[in-house]
Amino acid sequence: MNKASNAKRRQLVVGNWKMNGSLQENAGLLASITAGWQGNTDVVICPPFPYLQQVCELLKNTPIMLGAQTVSEHDKGAFTGEISASMLTDLNCKFVIIGHNERRRMQHESDEQIVHKFIAVQKAGLIPILCVGESLQDREQGRHLETINRQLNAVFAHTGKDVFENAVLAYEPVWAVGTGKTALPEQAEEVHRFMRSQLGRLAEEVRILYGGSVKAHNAQQLFALPDIDGALLGGASLNAEEFLAICKAAD
Ligand code: PEP
């Protein structure tokens, strides 16, 4: 079955605002996005934690869904500064980004910790967006698939593969995130195909997003590839015109 005829692989565009925004900026950005969006693609916005409530209110009665940028692996307790998955459900979040390379690198999140976050997210009834991706060095040494395999297997070993029925994967080459360098279509497709081949009976069912300097001018080419089901966006999600153009390209 190709992706266009597979309802489970409806296109998905996720905007990760990272540590950007203010009450005023968010309101302006979301007014333009909600006014300009209608379509069949699933669209998700992941604001910083302090703005989840605001964005939750502003997205009410719109088709756009709310997501979070990370979560604690713990249910509750003495974890200063952390946010639990059940708190995210209180705010009407539907998706949580897990294992973003900025958190793997800057917060030293390990494969092991990411697995526990993944499990906590699903236990709360939310959908994890599990990010994997190789460094520039891995890519230059031809070890990119090995890295992706390790990151995927860290999760599969704990959870099995069937739980990916309620999960999304994102391929984000570290060298392409926030750098303005996008993976070539053949590089992206090679990894997406590989990731799909690791999913067992769900190979053709799981949505796999590409992330890494996706912009309006290169989105169409990436979305045309058979194993890419949408995008995880950083920079482009902060500009309504650019964001809407990408959502429309996915549609
Ligand atoms: C990201 O942070 O997930 C990302 C893809 O960022 P950018 O689009 O800015 O490369």
Side-chain angles (χ1 to χ4, degrees):
M1 196 190 301
N2 70 18
K3 69 176 183 179
S5 54
N6 188 342
K8 294 196 173 151
R9 283 174 54 195
R10 204 168 46 253
Q11 296 280 103
L12 171 63
V13 175
V14 180
N16 172 13
W17 286 0
K18 309 194 185 186
M19 199 173 73
N20 292 292
S22 66
L23 286 174
Q24 200 183 352
E25 284 170 7
N26 304 344
L29 180 56
L30 287 176
S32 306
I33 291 173
T34 53
W37 175 242
Q38 58 176 54
N40 295 317
T41 293
D42 285 341
V43 177
V44 178
I45 305 268
C46 303
F49 284 140
Y51 300 128
L52 280 171
Q53 178 79 55
Q54 178 202 20
V55 175
C56 172
E57 292 299 322
L58 293 172
L59 293 181
K60 262 190 195 143
N61 306 317
T62 79
I64 301 177
M65 294 176 278
L66 186 62
Q69 297 177 15
T70 182
V71 71
S72 170
E73 62 271 39
H74 302 289
D75 287 343
K76 60 165 148 168
F79 300 102
T80 302
E82 295 291 309
I83 308 280
S84 72
S86 66
M87 292 173 186
L88 298 177
T89 59
D90 274 349
L91 289 167
N92 209 26
C93 275
K94 300 276 181 268
F95 292 83
V96 186
I97 300 171
I98 303 289
H100 191 280
N101 83 78
E102 285 157 13
R103 295 202 61 87
R104 288 182 191 260
R105 288 182 301 118
M106 298 174 195
Q107 267 68 37
H108 310 292
E109 286 187 5
S110 63
D111 284 341
E112 178 79 12
Q113 195 179 4
I114 289 162
V115 174
H116 291 292
K117 287 175 188 257
F118 183 99
I119 293 168
V121 167
Q122 284 200 328
K123 197 170 130 201
L126 298 163
I127 300 177
I129 301 172
L130 175 67
C131 302
V132 297
E134 80 283 3
S135 65
L136 183 59
Q137 196 184 28
D138 289 341
R139 167 64 61 176
E140 285 175 347
Q141 294 177 353
R143 290 192 283 110
H144 49 291
L145 297 183
E146 204 182 298
T147 301
I148 307 291
N149 200 26
R150 193 202 75 234
Q151 293 170 340
L152 287 179
N153 276 320
V155 180
F156 294 157
H158 273 73
T159 65
K161 298 182 178 179
D162 287 354
V163 295
F164 277 78
E165 187 113 46
N166 294 310
V168 172
L169 282 167
Y171 169 51
E172 294 210 309
V174 176
W175 48 271
V177 172
T179 59
K181 280 190 210 151
T182 315
L184 297 170
E186 56 272 26
Q187 291 175 317
E189 178 57 24
E190 180 200 24
V191 177
H192 280 240
R193 183 95 293 264
F194 173 76
M195 288 167 70
R196 207 169 276 302
S197 74
Q198 302 304 298
L199 285 161
R201 73 169 181 90
L202 294 174
E204 300 302 324
E205 315 275 295
V206 177
R207 292 191 280 192
I208 308 181
L209 311 182
Y210 171 78
S213 300
V214 177
K215 305 286 179 215
H217 72 85
N218 57 24
Q220 193 84 62
Q221 196 183 23
L222 289 160
F223 295 157
L225 296 168
D227 288 297
I228 294 187
D229 304 309
L232 178 51
L233 308 173
S237 67
L238 298 171
N239 177 303
E241 208 179 313
E242 188 85 14
F243 186 67
L244 286 168
I246 296 170
C247 294
K248 284 173 190 161
D251 218 28

